[in-house]
Amino acid sequence: AALDLLEVLKTEPRIHDIHNNPISNRTSLWWFPSNMPMRMTYQPDTGLQPDKGIWWPTWKYDRLAEVKVPAWQARFVPVPTQGQVRQDHIYEVDCKVLIIPNILDVDVIMAIARIWEYNDDKLFKKMTVRAITNCLWRN
């Protein structure tokens, strides 16, 4: 049940300014050592959702700032250049966020480790569990 709850809490990020800084739906996965099914990052970028009064993962853009887009966004979903568009390392992508703050927590990792013993065949089929373990390993 906990694994299903994590999947329910996976959603799309709010885009601060869709006209100036959309999330690319195609990107290059060239820099990976192998063909990986997903890319993940652990970022604190959030924005207040005014109608609900909650903080939500946000794809930020600040038109008044000197640096309009956070550097991690260009690294995370690089837009393919004109010459790369038809290359075999360009993929259709879909960006998702997990709306649980501080998910890289010792208690969460210990819970995943305990589940592993009983649900090994189902555990790593879940995108959220793969993202959590990969982010923990890389950060």
Side-chain angles (χ1 to χ4, degrees), residues 21-24 26-32 38-45 59 67 69-80 93 95 138-139:
N21 188 29
I23 300 174
S24 177
R26 294 176 57 79
T27 193
S28 170
L29 297 178
W30 180 258
W31 57 278
F32 280 112
M38 66 184 212
R39 181 182 296 173
M40 67 291 307
T41 184
Y42 187 72
Q43 299 297 329
D45 288 352
W59 193 256
V67 178
V69 177
W72 72 266
Q73 290 180 3
R75 288 189 310 268
F76 184 58
V77 186
V79 178
V93 294
C95 189
R138 295 172 193 262
N139 287 325

Side-chain angles (χ1 to χ4, degrees), residues 29 31-32 36-43 59 72 75-77 94-98 103-104 126-139:
L29 297 178
W31 57 278
F32 280 112
M36 298 190 61
M38 66 184 212
R39 181 182 296 173
M40 67 291 307
T41 184
Y42 187 72
Q43 299 297 329
W59 193 256
W72 72 266
R75 288 189 310 268
F76 184 58
V77 186
D94 189 21
C95 189
K96 299 288 184 189
V97 295
L98 192 57
I103 192 68
L104 296 186
K126 302 289 186 181
M127 182 186 297
T128 51
V129 173
R130 289 192 323 234
I132 290 167
T133 54
N134 282 321
C135 276
L136 184 70
W137 186 259
R138 295 172 193 262
N139 287 325

Side-chain angles (χ1 to χ4, degrees), residues 3 13 20 28 30 35 46 72 80 106 122 124 128 130 135:
L3 295 176
N20 289 313
S28 170
W30 180 258
N35 186 10
T46 58
W72 72 266
V106 172
K122 298 175 189 168
F124 287 102
T128 51
R130 289 192 323 234
C135 276

